[in-house]
Amino acid sequence: MATTTGARTSPEELFLRWRDGGDAAAMAALFDAEAPVLFRTAIVLCSDPLLAEEAVQETFLAAMESPGNWDDARRVGPWLTGILRIKILELRRREGRRPDPRRLPPPPPPDDPVVATAMAEDVERVRAAIRALPEPYRSVALLRWVHGLEPAAIADLREEPPGTVWSILSRAMAKLRRELGGLPVLALLMPESGGLPAVRERVLERARAPRPAPGGRGPAAAGG
């Protein structure tokens, strides 16, 4: 079992600190270390940023629900990846769904309630138009204008040349402008549910909650 190397605490030690002592700060550090890698893996597996975000959240919740499923002779990262693969399959089985528009927060309202209502309607039109884009435009547009990833990062995730990503983004914007007429598309785009930072908050809320005695096993976290 790995512990620490120099001043850096290993993922295995962080999970042990949470499992055996309920250390929410250790779970936060584990999330920060592993969630970006899991998100990139999920994008490769499902090509849907919203589903990938949900799968990462479900992975951490499952791991916390049944921490005894982790064999502490193994590394935590591959175990979490195994859970992630199961969660993606489960989410795909539930599919037929489109991203729930109720997950999208309303924009900050101006002083005038009439203006606020009109702006909220325009923002939802833009987001609905992005969700309705055909692939590959939808996934790339979500990563860029909803999750805030830079084009170079998107190219790395998709294993495509940066020029290809820029071309997809340009065509996606052209499609949005044709669909939406004179709406200022970029000006109305706002971060969605907060991406991984919002997932982190939900995971930590669970990590801070009272829980059963440590070491429980269960089918939800049997990944890997």
Side-chain angles (χ1 to χ4, degrees), residues 34 43 49 57 75 106 121 124 133 137 153 156 189 211-213:
E34 298 293 330
I43 286 290
Q57 175 175 309
R75 292 169 54 210
E121 291 173 353
E124 179 49 36
L133 285 171
Y137 307 107
D156 183 57
L189 286 170
R211 61 193 181 96

Side-chain angles (χ1 to χ4, degrees), residues 135-152:
E135 294 295 350
Y137 307 107
R138 175 179 176 271
S139 292
V140 175
L142 283 168
L143 288 170
R144 176 71 184 115
W145 295 316
V146 174
H147 289 272
L149 271 66
E150 294 297 325

Side-chain angles (χ1 to χ4, degrees), residues 48 50 97-103 131 138 142 192:
D48 185 329
L50 295 179
R97 65 144 172 102
R98 300 292 289 179
D100 188 347
R102 291 173 297 180
R103 292 180 60 201
R131 295 193 296 269
R138 175 179 176 271
L142 283 168
E192 200 165 282

Side-chain angles (χ1 to χ4, degrees), residues 12-96:
E12 292 73 30
E13 180 66 20
L14 291 170
F15 191 75
L16 279 174
R17 281 166 48 187
W18 182 83
R19 186 190 73 181
D20 297 342
D23 186 342
M27 179 55 66
L30 179 66
F31 185 95
D32 294 343
E34 298 293 330
V37 177
L38 292 170
F39 182 74
R40 289 194 293 270
T41 301
I43 286 290
V44 170
L45 292 174
C46 68
S47 301
D48 185 329
L50 295 179
L51 189 147
E53 179 184 309
E54 189 172 353
V56 171
Q57 175 175 309
E58 291 297 316
T59 295
F60 276 92
L61 295 182
M64 289 191 294
E65 180 181 338
S66 301
N69 281 346
W70 174 56
D71 176 358
D72 61 12
R74 299 176 57 200
R75 292 169 54 210
V76 164
W79 178 62
L80 291 174
T81 301
I83 301 174
L84 179 77
R85 292 175 182 274
I86 292 172
K87 293 303 174 183
I88 288 173
L89 290 174
E90 290 176 355
L91 290 169
R92 279 175 165 169
R93 289 192 200 104
R94 286 188 231 156
E95 269 203 344

Side-chain angles (χ1 to χ4, degrees), residues 108-129:
D111 293 335
D112 187 337
V114 176
V115 174
T117 299
M119 183 179 291
E121 291 173 353
D122 287 345
V123 169
E124 179 49 36
R125 281 186 63 197
V126 172
R127 290 172 174 168

